[in-house]
Amino acid sequence: MAENEVRLTKLAKCAGCGAKVGAGVLAQLLEGIRVHQDPNLLVGFDKSDDASVYKLSEELALVQTVDFFPPIADDPYLFGQIAAANALSDVYAMGGEPKLCLNIMAVPKDMPQEAVHNLLRGGYDKVYEAGALITGGHSILDEEPKYGLAVTGFVHPAKMLTNSGAKPGDVLLFTKPIGIGVLTTAAKAGMASAESMALAQRMMTTLNKGARDVMVKYRVHACTDVTGFGLLGHGLEMAQGSGAELEIQVKAVDFIPEAAELAKMGILPEGMYRNRAFAQASVDAGEAELWQQDLLYDPQTSGGLLMAADPADADALYEELKTAAPSAQRIGVVREYRGGARIFLQA
């Protein structure tokens, strides 16, 4: 079979981060697992954060993460790029710099060698763009292809960012448009335009490096990358971890226009429903329209960085992000928790 006949998304039941285990289910699976204490472990799996952080010295900490998923694009090279960008993003969300990566790959035994080569080449090229190295990895045979990376990076312990440091008064900034999950779901049914898919692919292959490099120059109290749990799912984790609540201005969110139209038609990924089931009890939707809510729950693949910035630095950070991020957005504020809902949508 020629490489151009390989349609990777037809080999997968779920696409990209839409295959992610729901946040609520994940919390139940981890419940009761004993966490060993180590004073140098600054962030572990019990924190619901983007990566683990281990302090090596007063000036250096190790950041580690792993991420992989089934195909979200038919082209193997493109799929490799997207999966790598998505995995690297977790290190950027912690304020770190990725340095070493390991491939994680599963491929069907009859997948053409050239297709596998191009998948790996996509990952390598994106890792090198990040200034990191791939030093090995592990692969297995599987009926459904999957690819991703284990990533190791570095950060100064005092400059590490988590998703749980947001403070009342902080300004919420976001760096990529929303609607990737809806578009990729529509694409599998042949309902997404070539123009919108080109935009989605460009967003998914754009590293969060530029946004991270700007972010670390300012006082940012918390950060997370918005991926499989959607903006509201990851926002809820930030609110809960910070002991705060978030106010999100829905009109300030950059929804991809075609994704909005598809959401109005009810073209929604399965992951959206999982995210809604997890977060909606903690969300006051106010007057937000249903399609807007759906997109805020939409699982993103290689999504943007959600930052809680000190109000004194927010304006300058926002202006600089306009030239460093695909879509700089000022979407809300952090408030003191008053009990009840953790996220309030303002239409």
Side-chain angles (χ1 to χ4, degrees):
M1 182 169 60
E3 183 201 338
N4 60 10
E5 295 177 358
V6 176
R7 296 198 64 188
L8 294 183
T9 58
K10 297 299 183 184
L11 302 177
K13 296 178 182 178
C14 297
C17 284
K20 196 170 183 176
V21 174
V25 175
L26 185 60
Q28 292 175 3
L29 293 173
L30 294 173
E31 187 176 358
I33 295 179
R34 187 160 61 96
V35 180
H36 290 271
Q37 300 300 314
D38 185 324
N40 290 320
L41 182 62
L42 304 181
V43 180
F45 78 85
D46 56 316
K47 302 294 186 183
S48 298
D49 220 314
D50 298 302
S52 64
V53 181
Y54 191 86
K55 182 179 176 181
L56 299 176
S57 70
E58 294 302 316
E59 297 185 349
L60 188 66
L62 200 67
V63 185
Q64 288 190 312
T65 187
V66 60
D67 211 316
F68 69 105
F69 48 58
I72 196 165
D74 286 321
D75 177 69
Y77 179 75
L78 178 61
F79 172 41
Q81 286 187 301
I82 294 170
N86 184 74
L88 292 160
S89 182
D90 285 339
V91 174
Y92 292 132
M94 308 297 290
E97 294 183 82
K99 292 298 180 183
L100 300 175
C101 303
L102 297 171
N103 284 318
I104 300 170
M105 183 174 68
V107 292
K109 61 182 178 181
D110 59 350
M111 187 168 169
Q113 182 176 345
E114 188 175 4
V116 178
H117 172 80
N118 285 333
L119 189 161
L120 291 170
R121 185 168 60 87
Y124 273 75
D125 284 354
K126 192 55 59 173
V127 166
Y128 295 153
E129 181 185 332
L133 298 169
I134 291 181
T135 59
H138 186 69
S139 59
I140 63 170
L141 294 175
D142 192 351
E143 292 182 1
E144 184 176 273
K146 302 173 184 71
Y147 178 66
L149 300 170
V151 185
T152 298
F154 298 104
V155 70
H156 192 291
K159 298 178 181 179
M160 170 192 74
L161 293 171
T162 70
N163 67 358
S164 58
K167 300 179 181 180
D170 281 353
V171 175
L172 296 173
L173 301 173
F174 190 53
T175 65
K176 285 186 180 181
I178 291 288
I180 298 297
V182 168
L183 286 177
T184 54
T185 298
K188 293 189 75 169
M191 297 179 65
S193 70
E195 293 78 12
S196 287
M197 286 312 300
L199 169 64
Q201 291 165 2
R202 188 165 67 252
M203 292 300 100
M204 290 188 288
T205 56
T206 297
L207 293 173
N208 281 324
K209 183 180 187 301
R212 176 266 175 200
D213 290 349
V214 169
M215 174 178 71
V216 297
K217 294 158 52 177
Y218 296 91
R219 287 172 290 179
V220 172
H221 298 139
C223 182
T224 189
D225 64 333
V226 173
T227 55
F229 300 155
L231 182 60
L232 292 182
H234 289 285
L236 177 57
E237 289 186 333
M238 178 181 285
Q240 290 174 328
S242 303
E245 64 185 46
L246 310 183
E247 177 185 302
I248 294 178
Q249 300 292 332
V250 177
K251 290 182 179 179
V253 178
D254 183 8
F255 296 119
I256 299 172
E258 188 168 316
E261 293 306 312
L262 289 164
K264 292 174 184 176
M265 296 167 55
I267 308 300
L268 302 166
E270 181 182 348
M272 189 285 299
Y273 296 99
R274 290 197 299 269
N275 293 339
R276 181 185 283 276
F278 162 65
Q280 67 178 348
S282 298
V283 175
D284 183 333
E287 300 298 320
E289 296 184 47
L290 181 59
W291 69 267
Q292 294 172 324
Q293 297 176 47
D294 288 341
L295 284 176
L296 292 172
Y297 288 114
D298 184 42
Q300 305 303 286
T301 298
S302 188
L305 298 182
L306 175 63
M307 310 170 189
D310 189 294
D313 283 8
D315 288 345
L317 173 56
Y318 176 52
E319 289 302 316
E320 194 165 350
L321 282 173
K322 289 180 180 180
T323 60
S327 175
Q329 304 153 60
R330 185 170 180 153
I331 65 169
V333 294
V334 179
R335 304 191 310 207
E336 187 173 344
Y337 183 52
R338 298 167 294 176
R342 288 282 185 178
I343 298 180
F344 295 82
L345 303 184
Q346 300 295 330

